[in-house]
Every structure is written in structure tokens, then in C-alpha cells.
Amino acid sequence: MRSKDSRIDTTVAHPARRYNYWLGGDDNFAADRQSGDQIAALLPAIRTAAVENRRFLRRAVTHLARDRGIRQFLDIGAGIPGAGNTHEVARAIAPDSRVVCVDNDPIVGAYGRTLADGSAGTVAYLEADLRDPERILTDPRLRATLDLRRPVGLTLLAVLHFLSDADQPYRVVRDLVSALPAGSWLVVSHATADFMSPETAAAVEEAGLRSGVPSRLRSRTEIARFFEGTSLIPPGIVPTPQWHSDDEPRLRSTAADAAMYAGAALVG
């Protein structure tokens, strides 16, 4: 889909469109592909990392919907809908699942509105920024779709590393989690420099900054802070290929290939 939305600056890369490129999609522009290729030159396994993150999404949402009985999901940083997105995985297991997708890219919005229009009120899309949790939590469309008195699965997948320290990412997550009732879940995946040399990590962050997609690669210790006040379930915070992957074929991806940690935790 090519949107004519005047708010889309096709000369600047966007994380959702770049991720779409790494996954082999065609909803991206030259700037997204250029940024993606610059990162790939530094991290040749970046496409594997994107695939492993998508596989983690499927396993995590399956776990919450099938094994934990979660029927409501708040997916922030949802990205361009494709096979295996949160709403698709959840509703395949439990058709009564209700999902709110949030992203700040107008192209994602075009898809999201189409998706919401055909969902009979069970899927909603919000064009909003993770940096403004109050805006997300008070949106009438969220309130019309999710019942915040009942458990919610909050998914923040491959999105928190786009928040700088100045964006107060720990406060953002704390504000989101504090709005959820006991029995909710927090699911996070986050890019890390733990498996890179300091030189490579610095080059990756610099390449992102130059292309308009700045990121902050965090250590496992830093990522663990997002889960403060929650109860992590086994295996804890691990590279994405290692999280509850015993029941599916392995891609032989290493922790360095994945370049990302993941975890899920019970709230309350």
C-alpha cells in the first residue's frame, strides 16, 4: 500500500517501514531501504534479528492467549500489519480477543484503520506516540475496545530502543503498567549491544542517528529495569530465540544474530 497522506515524509526513514523492509515487505521507501542497508552493513544478521523478533511475538502472544487466558492486548509499536501480527495471532487462538494497535507512522495508520473498520469493534488503531502514554490510555477508541478493569497483555516489541534516555523510557513503561489491573502482562523485546564490540555498537547508533532513526542499544541490566515491580516468568530475560522456543523449529540463530533480549512478566 502506498499512502498519499501528506504527513508522510518519504525522505526520512521510519522504524516501522524499515522493519517491513528487513522482513521482505514492500511498504517502504528509498530512505527506509537505505537506512536498513546501512545497519545491515554493520550487522549482517539484522534480517535474522527481525525474523526472530517476529517469531518471539508469535510465541509470546500465543502463550498469553492460550496458556494464560488473556483476551485483551495493547500492542504499542505495532508496525505495518502482516502475517503473524499480534491481532492475528491472538484472534486465531481466541476469536473473541480484543486488540488495540498503536503506532506513530501514518502508513501504519492507513492499514490500521482498514483493519479496524472490518473488525466489528474488536480491533482498534491509534495513531499515537509511545512517549505520550497518557494520550494512549485516555483515547476513547482504546476505552471503547479494552476494559481496563480486566487483564491486558501489553506488548512493547522492538520499540523501546527508539526512546532515548531523555525520553524517560522507564517512566513511560511504568505509567503504562500502572494503568493495568493485576493479572495483566508486560512483554518486551529490546535491541542490545551486549553481543557487539563497543565500536560496532557506536557505529550502529551513529548510522541510525544519521538516517533519522536514532536508537539506544541497552544492556540486559538496563532492559531488566523495565520489568521492575512485575514478576518475570522463566526463562527470564533472554535472547529472543531462547524464549519458550522448544516447541518450534530452530533457525540456528545465535544470541549475536538476534541482537535482542526478550521477556514476559505478570503484573500485580
Side-chain angles (χ1 to χ4, degrees):
M1 176 184 286
R2 295 297 188 184
S3 173
K4 296 182 179 179
D5 193 317
S6 61
R7 293 170 299 160
I8 298 173
D9 185 352
T10 63
T11 67
V12 178
H14 187 278
R17 302 194 304 261
R18 188 177 67 180
Y19 187 64
N20 173 264
Y21 171 58
W22 284 333
L23 287 174
D26 58 7
D27 289 293
N28 46 75
F29 298 96
D32 307 306
R33 296 188 289 273
Q34 182 179 18
S35 176
D37 290 342
Q38 289 171 349
I39 300 299
L42 299 166
L43 295 175
I46 190 63
R47 290 175 176 83
T48 299
V51 170
E52 287 290 7
N53 185 67
R54 180 57 60 92
R55 284 158 61 91
F56 167 69
L57 179 158
R58 182 175 63 250
R59 297 194 303 273
V61 174
T62 295
H63 180 77
L64 295 192
R66 184 190 65 198
D67 303 332
R68 304 289 182 167
I70 297 299
R71 296 294 179 265
Q72 301 189 112
F73 291 86
L74 176 55
D75 182 13
I76 303 180
I80 296 170
N85 272 40
T86 296
H87 70 276
E88 186 175 282
V89 175
R91 289 166 63 83
I93 295 168
D96 59 334
S97 295
R98 305 178 75 84
V99 184
V100 172
C101 305
V102 182
D103 207 289
N104 66 354
D105 180 31
I107 282 186
V108 178
Y111 277 108
R113 286 186 290 273
T114 300
L115 176 67
D117 289 345
S119 71
T122 58
V123 178
Y125 172 77
L126 311 183
E127 189 174 320
D129 197 296
L130 173 60
R131 296 171 182 83
D132 190 356
E134 183 178 1
R135 154 79 178 80
I136 294 170
L137 292 166
T138 59
D139 191 288
R141 288 163 295 182
L142 182 146
R143 297 286 176 161
T145 307
L146 304 182
D147 180 356
L148 296 185
R149 297 169 299 180
R150 296 172 50 237
V152 174
L154 169 62
T155 59
L156 298 166
L157 304 183
V159 64
L160 286 169
H161 46 253
F162 295 116
L163 270 60
S164 69
D165 293 343
D167 292 321
Q168 302 182 65
Y170 300 111
R171 177 194 61 80
V172 167
V173 173
R174 187 167 58 249
D175 287 352
L176 289 168
V177 170
S178 65
L180 305 180
S184 294
W185 288 82
L186 171 64
V187 181
V188 170
S189 63
H190 193 301
T192 184
D194 281 3
F195 310 107
M196 307 174 197
S197 69
E199 294 76 18
T200 297
V204 168
E205 290 188 345
E206 177 61 25
L209 186 62
R210 288 199 309 269
S211 65
V213 189
S215 62
R216 167 73 159 80
L217 304 177
R218 294 185 171 92
S219 69
R220 186 184 182 283
T221 299
E222 290 174 308
I223 294 167
R225 287 185 58 194
F226 290 114
F227 291 99
E228 288 181 354
T230 66
S231 301
L232 275 162
I233 62 169
I237 300 169
V238 295
T240 49
Q242 298 175 17
W243 196 91
H244 284 264
S245 57
D246 292 341
D247 296 333
E248 69 175 14
R250 295 290 186 95
L251 295 183
R252 299 184 182 277
S253 304
T254 66
D257 292 334
M260 199 173 296
Y261 284 115
L266 181 64
V267 174

